[in-house]
């Protein structure tokens, strides 16, 4: 499969691309994508796990054992567990969140989808997310897989990030723009 040069040029992109190739050969793309999504959520929710993967003082052996335990706890597939072992052995666990994002982008591109991250001041309803996905699909010409986040500091509106493109209609940005214009 042909990947975007921007993704595969980076370290995390090369790891994600290699994992995608292995998963694709074994017909396990969906399982690995699900595993990585769960792992990404665990990293986001656990300060200890996030600190572990970023700590350069953790030995290769200790990191491998820790990731093996995490894999068993999260019931990860053997391919994903082996991949985590490789990252730990190569002392590359710090790039794991980026690998997860890159893998999702590669898998989505292979399915003809595009990933979009939507940040709003308040949680969006299922109907609002569906309407936004439909509008983004019309704009992008591809199916859009949304990931929703909440940031109360936006005050209102949305920030949508698709790849390197950002659409910012937040009230915070509008107020900052107005404040800068008033400064002269």
């Amino acid at each position: 499969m042909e990947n975007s040069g921007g993704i595969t040029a980076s370290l995390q992109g090369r790891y994600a691309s290699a994992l995608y190739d292995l998963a694709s050969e074994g017909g396990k793309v969906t399982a690995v994508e699900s595993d990585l999504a769960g792992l990404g959520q665990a990293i986001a929710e656990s300060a200890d796990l996030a600190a572990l993967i970023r700590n350069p003082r953790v030995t290769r052996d200790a990191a491998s054992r820790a990731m093996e335990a995490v894999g068993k706890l999260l019931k990860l597939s053997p391919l994903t567990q082996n991949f985590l072992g490789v990252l730990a052995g190569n002392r590359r666990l710090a790039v794991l969140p980026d690998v997860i994002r890159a893998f999702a982008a590669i898998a989505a591109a292979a399915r003809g989808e595009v990933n979009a991250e939507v940040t709003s001041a308040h949680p969006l309803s299922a109907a609002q997310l569906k309407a936004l996905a439909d509008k983004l699909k019309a704009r992008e010409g591809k199916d859009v897989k949304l990931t929703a986040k909440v940031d109360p500091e936006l005050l209102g509106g949305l920030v949508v990030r698709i790849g390197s493109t950002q659409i910012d209609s937040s009230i915070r940005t509008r107020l900052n723009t107005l404040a800068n214009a008033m400064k002269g």
Side-chain angles (χ1 to χ4, degrees), residues 108-121:
R111 289 189 302 268
E113 294 177 349
V114 64
N115 287 322
E117 182 179 289
V118 180
T119 307
S120 60

Side-chain angles (χ1 to χ4, degrees), residues 81-116:
Q81 285 190 344
N82 290 342
F83 178 73
L84 291 177
V86 169
L87 283 181
N90 292 343
R91 302 190 61 77
R92 298 288 190 216
L93 285 175
V95 299
L96 183 56
D98 295 326
V99 171
I100 292 169
R101 281 189 290 278
F103 186 92
I106 291 168
R111 289 189 302 268
E113 294 177 349
V114 64
N115 287 322

Side-chain angles (χ1 to χ4, degrees), residues 30-115:
T30 303
V32 171
E33 192 171 15
S34 177
D35 287 348
L36 292 178
L39 187 57
Q41 185 175 357
I43 291 168
E45 293 174 358
S46 170
D48 290 339
L49 181 56
L52 170 81
I53 67 171
R54 289 180 177 82
N55 188 343
R57 293 183 179 181
V58 176
T59 65
R60 292 172 200 257
D61 187 46
S64 293
R65 285 194 316 269
M67 294 315 292
E68 184 178 334
V70 167
K72 286 180 182 175
L73 182 68
L74 296 176
K75 296 180 174 71
L76 301 179
S77 68
L79 177 58
T80 306
Q81 285 190 344
N82 290 342
F83 178 73
L84 291 177
V86 169
L87 283 181
N90 292 343
R91 302 190 61 77
R92 298 288 190 216
L93 285 175
V95 299
L96 183 56
D98 295 326
V99 171
I100 292 169
R101 281 189 290 278
F103 186 92
I106 291 168
R111 289 189 302 268
E113 294 177 349
V114 64
N115 287 322

Side-chain angles (χ1 to χ4, degrees), residues 130-181:
K130 171 89 172 84
L132 180 59
D134 290 344
K135 286 182 182 181
L136 291 173
K137 180 179 180 177
R139 180 181 187 270
E140 296 294 317
K142 297 180 180 181
D143 286 332
V144 177
K145 183 178 176 187
L146 292 178
T147 304
K149 292 183 176 181
V150 176
D151 180 3
E153 291 185 14
L154 292 180
L155 303 176
L158 299 172
V159 177
V160 180
R161 184 170 289 127
I162 303 172
S164 62
T165 304
Q166 180 170 304
I167 304 164
D168 189 342
S169 65
S170 67
I171 293 176
R172 176 180 63 188
T173 298
R174 291 180 188 174
L175 289 173
N176 288 341
T177 303
L178 181 61
N180 286 336

